[in-house]
Amino acid sequence: MWRRRPNAAAGRGSCGPGISHGPTGWAAFRASLEHDFLHAGGSLVIGGMTAATLNVAVPRDLLKGLAGLPGVDVLALAVLAVLLAVCSEADAFVAAGLTSFSTTAKLAFMVVGPMVDAKLIALQAGTFGRAFAWRFSATTFVVAVTAATLTGWWLL
Amino acid sequence: MTREVRALLHILLGAAVLHISLFSELYLRYVREGLRPYLIASGVLLVAVGLVGAVSAARKLLRPGHDGPDAHDGPKGHDGHGHDHHGAPRTAWLLLLPVLAIYLLQPRALGAFTAQHSDNTAVRPAEAAGGFAPLPTTDPVSMRLADFDSRALWDSSGSLKGHRIRLTGFATPGSGDGTWDLARLTISCCAADASSSKVVIRGADAPPEGAWVEVTGEWQPDGASGQDGAVPTLTANQIRRIAEPENPYE
């Protein structure tokens, strides 16, 4: 995908504080710590605020209405996983609470969650640029949903 | 963002993290107990990075002739792809928001609003687990709301029958007119994944919304067992107002 459209691929290649002329040793360690923290931190705040807002704003009743529709329920929970940005340590508990959904939909929730979510997209956009983030997230989302659907159809 | 501001931002954020994790128990409102050492470690690291940055900034100021190329922010986009390697992106200013939130707002733990707007989550035990263990013989039996819900809905042997149960939680408006629920939230990692456990309380007037109470009473089997999302019922004999526990989550 990136080979076909190389102009966007370059993104922002050489991150890191002044490799050619920068400090060395502990000073370099401290400088890159600061650099990484400031670059990731701001994006993380954006992602966190987005996820928190959506967590309150997304009406759960609307979701329940989608639970009975095969196919749509998988997509609904996959999108919910992106919006809520629940960490992978906890998403199984959240999925267990979504009782009205099919097992395949819950699987999609748990597969998509750690791969694509609001805070990851914000982080990627901040680090690699927006063009990269959209293309990468969209691809990962499609792959994750397909994998979950196929596994669910085959095994569950 | 100058190097002085960057240093200050690190120190402020580190201090805020230490404020909620090392010097108080406020972190329990936001994350689970086990994450405390990590919070303290990152707080200490942030303060250390900030202090070292401040010291080196001060040194640079005292020797103005020796400004290196990274002593000040370069112009935006100087390296051809709009990315300033020596300063920080403008989004870094957003890191002040958590600092302000912690010192000025001190957000409370999730409570009645969250519980009221979410479904009851009662864990259905796996078949292989071999049913529920017998309840302790104390009277009354103190239980987590989550355990009570799970037994009330999924224990076919009815182990709750004949026991006086004591539950601790906060008052939440119920789904019916004039009813109220006792609720408690469970977090497995942080407040973002909170799930709620609710019990309908009968035989007692509703305390103010969000008030913490200890309810002692008996389970009211009402045919709601075996249903996902159902809320079991407790008939209260005694209700006592209590202070919010140190850890508001179960």
Side-chain angles (χ1 to χ4, degrees):
Chain A
M1 214 169 94
W2 271 266
R3 217 177 290 159
R4 234 175 283 154
R5 299 263 316 265
N7 55 327
R12 296 162 178 189
S14 61
C15 260
I19 288 159
S20 51
H21 52 69
T24 52
W26 280 107
F29 177 71
R30 197 199 64 81
S32 51
L33 225 162
E34 188 178 78
H35 174 274
D36 288 354
F37 177 71
L38 290 177
H39 277 75
S43 311
L44 205 57
V45 173
I46 298 178
M49 288 196 301
T50 315
T53 311
L54 291 167
N55 200 343
V56 178
V58 172
R60 301 298 161 98
D61 292 343
L62 194 96
L63 268 181
K64 259 183 264 168
L66 299 175
L69 311 166
V72 181
D73 59 345
V74 176
L75 270 183
L77 283 202
V79 171
L80 186 72
V82 176
L83 301 184
L84 294 192
V86 172
C87 73
S88 52
E89 200 179 331
D91 59 2
F93 297 95
V94 177
L98 299 161
T99 42
S100 46
F101 284 87
S102 69
T103 327
T104 308
K106 288 187 215 168
L107 179 68
F109 181 81
M110 288 190 285
V111 173
V112 173
M115 295 292 127
V116 202
D117 66 38
K119 71 177 185 302
L120 285 177
I121 294 174
L123 267 177
Q124 287 155 0
T127 314
F128 304 116
R130 248 172 251 170
F132 174 89
W134 285 122
R135 210 185 300 181
F136 182 74
S137 306
T139 316
T140 318
F141 183 83
V142 171
V143 171
V145 172
T146 314
T149 313
L150 286 180
T151 312
W153 168 71
W154 184 36
L155 290 175
L156 297 173
Chain B
M1 201 180 263
T2 63
R3 60 164 65 230
E4 293 83 5
V5 175
R6 274 181 277 157
L8 192 65
L9 187 60
H10 281 82
I11 295 172
L12 279 176
L13 203 65
V17 172
L18 290 178
H19 172 72
I20 59 165
S21 58
L22 185 60
F23 302 118
S24 68
E25 308 255 288
L26 288 174
Y27 75 100
L28 287 173
R29 293 176 178 181
Y30 317 119
V31 296
R32 72 179 151 92
E33 214 166 353
L35 295 176
R36 186 177 209 175
Y38 303 102
L39 280 176
I40 294 177
S42 28
V44 169
L45 185 67
L46 282 173
V47 171
V49 167
L51 285 179
V52 175
V55 168
S56 80
R59 272 205 208 128
K60 284 264 157 65
L61 276 180
L62 294 177
R63 293 183 296 141
H66 292 265
D67 266 11
D70 60 354
H72 51 82
D73 289 342
K76 284 265 173 248
H78 63 106
D79 52 6
H81 47 243
H83 181 59
D84 182 1
H85 279 182
H86 306 303
R90 262 174 301 168
T91 50
W93 286 104
L94 290 171
L95 284 169
L96 277 176
L97 290 180
V99 177
L100 294 175
I102 284 174
Y103 282 118
L104 300 181
L105 303 174
Q106 296 216 336
R108 302 184 59 77
L110 296 177
F113 178 87
T114 312
Q116 195 188 346
H117 291 89
S118 55
D119 284 339
N120 191 30
T121 314
V123 178
R124 183 183 189 170
E127 302 287 335
F132 290 86
L135 285 176
T137 49
T138 51
D139 181 61
V141 185
S142 291
M143 292 181 86
R144 296 168 66 229
L145 256 84
D147 292 339
F148 177 83
D149 277 359
S150 158
R151 275 180 196 262
L153 295 182
W154 299 113
D155 187 359
S156 47
S157 71
S159 62
L160 289 171
K161 273 181 199 152
H163 285 279
R164 287 207 307 147
I165 311 289
R166 173 168 292 166
L167 302 171
T168 304
F170 49 84
T172 307
S175 49
D177 251 358
T179 64
W180 66 284
D181 296 348
L182 187 72
R184 193 81 185 255
L185 297 163
T186 310
I187 61 174
S188 31
C189 193
C190 72
D193 59 55
S195 60
S196 55
S197 305
K198 297 193 265 194
V199 175
V200 177
I201 304 293
R202 268 193 213 147
D205 288 336
E209 182 176 337
W212 283 85
V213 285
E214 194 181 72
V215 180
T216 312
E218 274 161 41
W219 176 46
Q220 189 79 50
D222 60 355
S225 58
Q227 290 171 28
D228 280 317
V231 185
T233 307
L234 187 85
T235 304
N237 307 130
Q238 192 197 344
I239 291 195
R240 198 162 66 88
R241 288 283 289 272
I242 54 165
E244 178 174 342
E246 195 95 285
N247 187 349
Y249 304 103
E250 268 186 348

